[in-house]
Amino acid sequence: MLNAEDNALITRVGPNTPMGEYLRRYWVPALLSEEVPTPDCPPVRVTILAETLIAFRDTEGRVGLVDNYCPHRRASLFFGRNEESGLRCVYHGWKFDATGACVDMPSEPAESNFKDKVRVTAYPCEERGGVVWAYMGPPDRQPELPNLAWAAVPDSHRFLSKCRQECNWLQALEGGIDSSHISFLHSSLKARDYAINASSRGLQDAALHDRSPRFFLEHADYGLVIGARRSTADGQYYWRITPWMLPYSTIVPAEPHAVMTGNMYVPADDETTLVFRASWHPLRPLTDAERHEYETGGVFHELVQPVTYRPYANKDNDYLQDREMQRTVNFSGIKGIQAQDMAVIESMGAISDRTREHLGTSDSAILGARRRLLREVANFQEGIEPEAPHNGDLYWVRSAAVEAPQSMPMLDVAEQYMAVEKSTLAKQSTT
């Protein structure tokens, strides 16, 4: 349970809020590269960290991210003309480049130097892994881009999606690090039709065999290592190990050699989250069948409406819940992991009243993440800058879903798991 003051502290993300300023020390995913596909294409609206912005790709292919409001008379630059290496306001023709500089002011006399005194707020952008990343903090604190595994693989190995979730970012994140609910919310009424990973029946059965996992948390430089341990029928432990990478990235536990899925729960504003989701394989291109599943709204990637990225299954239609399906097919009566998660997480309200919660031992990951965020923000308010954003290689981690002997501690399980993958990658690089 959080008191009201702490709840507000870690959920409010606008400019000049403690959490908002802390988050601005990191590169933040702002939009997919495909949203601004070509030079001089139409600009798009972006709301991120409670700021209303406009993204455009200029004639040279650079992505600019600028304030929505023209600094002249505050008209929206969304209606602007993207032309000749700048975005021109249609109201009086003022034109701004990707750095925010005013490069033309045709409404003023030719001899005027007024344009040299006017800028529009603009944020540095970088593209990596099919995502446009923005840095919205102080220029002298600009960090490294996080070296996330999914962003490093070739495009052929990766599938990206984005959807809008109608709740605070922390609620969405907490759903992503909670391994206890998979035995219920995402479960099937058919023991051999478990939804988490269709290629791993043995591990699926383990999640159903023991529905009360024991949690183990280890602090890392990048965030938390979260282990959920279940007993198996054959006397071993089934581990689901989730890395939470500050401030908003997670990786869904996956078995060796499986396609992995990672999520970034990015605050659009206090009551809306943009979920950037990547499914990737580190060693091979995705198959046509895998891509077809993701493109048509498979297990992890929700079908969304154009422009808004709002899922077709949403709170206005009760996430397309089918009560007959709930009676005969799966636990929730809702199709797809993302829709199932959204149904319960959005039902808490836009910002959950955490003063009325009753948390148990299965909520250890939730408690650990909240405490870490509160500590991070408290340190930040005391003038201690976060270190993680300045070491991008900290983010080169992966998740695990694996059986192991009961005598093996969680970190040894994770280390052994990583060693197997690194060995496989090394072998492939020499062939």
Side-chain angles (χ1 to χ4, degrees), residues 154-396:
D155 292 346
S156 60
H157 292 40
R158 175 182 58 238
F159 182 87
L160 282 175
S161 66
K162 178 178 122 177
C163 75
R164 180 160 62 94
Q165 197 158 321
E166 295 172 22
C167 68
N168 179 259
W169 77 285
L170 186 57
Q171 279 164 243
L173 171 68
E174 289 174 352
I177 61 174
D178 173 14
S179 267
S180 64
H181 76 270
I182 68 165
S183 298
F184 303 93
L185 179 64
H186 302 318
S187 67
S188 171
L189 301 181
K190 303 172 184 178
R192 293 294 183 183
D193 189 30
Y194 192 56
I196 291 298
N197 189 327
S199 66
S200 58
R201 280 186 178 171
L203 301 186
Q204 295 164 14
D205 290 346
L208 293 174
H209 173 75
D210 183 353
R211 297 191 176 205
S212 178
R214 305 299 186 267
F215 277 84
F216 299 82
L217 306 183
E218 292 286 345
H219 284 275
D221 290 339
Y222 61 76
L224 281 179
V225 184
I226 301 165
R229 191 190 74 189
R230 291 173 167 88
S231 298
T232 67
D234 59 0
Q236 297 206 92
Y237 284 145
Y238 167 45
W239 285 95
R240 286 175 54 84
I241 300 175
T242 304
W244 167 46
M245 294 160 280
L246 289 165
Y248 38 67
S249 294
T250 66
I251 305 176
V252 178
E255 328 163 47
H257 315 302
V259 173
M260 291 179 284
T261 296
N263 299 308
M264 295 185 292
Y265 302 98
V266 181
D269 54 37
D270 291 347
E271 300 185 352
T272 314
T273 303
L274 298 177
V275 183
F276 291 81
R277 180 169 289 111
S279 289
W280 80 99
H281 200 288
L283 304 174
R284 62 163 174 82
L286 299 178
T287 66
D288 290 343
E290 288 164 346
R291 287 193 176 276
H292 177 74
E293 179 192 354
Y294 304 146
E295 290 167 354
T296 56
V299 171
F300 287 111
H301 296 270
E302 191 71 11
L303 288 176
V304 298
Q305 300 170 26
V307 182
T308 66
Y309 287 89
R310 191 189 194 204
Y312 284 104
N314 56 62
K315 64 182 180 182
D316 291 341
N317 55 29
D318 294 322
Y319 310 91
L320 303 177
Q321 185 183 40
D322 183 328
R323 293 294 185 178
E324 179 62 20
M325 179 189 292
Q326 186 179 36
R327 190 179 68 83
T328 60
V329 178
N330 69 16
F331 198 77
S332 66
I334 298 170
K335 179 184 176 182
I337 285 177
Q338 176 64 12
Q340 292 163 3
D341 282 339
M342 285 194 301
V344 295
I345 291 167
E346 291 182 357
S347 72
M348 301 173 187
I351 300 179
S352 177
D353 182 359
R354 293 179 173 86
T355 67
R356 304 181 68 180
E357 293 177 326
H358 297 80
L359 303 185
T361 58
S362 64
D363 301 301
S364 297
I366 309 305
L367 290 165
R370 292 177 187 176
R371 288 168 182 156
R372 180 63 180 266
L373 283 173
L374 286 169
R375 190 173 78 227
E376 291 279 326
V377 174
N379 288 342
F380 180 68
Q381 289 180 290
E382 293 177 5
I384 302 172
E385 292 286 329
E387 296 181 2
H390 296 280
N391 187 349
D393 286 342
L394 289 177
Y395 291 78
W396 188 269

Side-chain angles (χ1 to χ4, degrees), residues 112-168:
S112 171
N113 67 351
F114 188 33
K115 73 178 179 61
D116 300 327
K117 302 177 182 180
V118 177
R119 295 184 61 86
V120 67
T121 298
Y123 295 116
C125 291
E126 297 284 348
E127 292 186 83
R128 179 178 290 182
V131 170
V132 176
W133 302 75
Y135 175 66
M136 301 170 67
D140 62 341
R141 299 286 185 179
Q142 184 169 315
E144 297 180 8
L145 279 166
N147 193 13
L148 293 157
W150 60 263
V153 301
D155 292 346
S156 60
H157 292 40
R158 175 182 58 238
F159 182 87
L160 282 175
S161 66
K162 178 178 122 177
C163 75
R164 180 160 62 94
Q165 197 158 321
E166 295 172 22
C167 68
N168 179 259

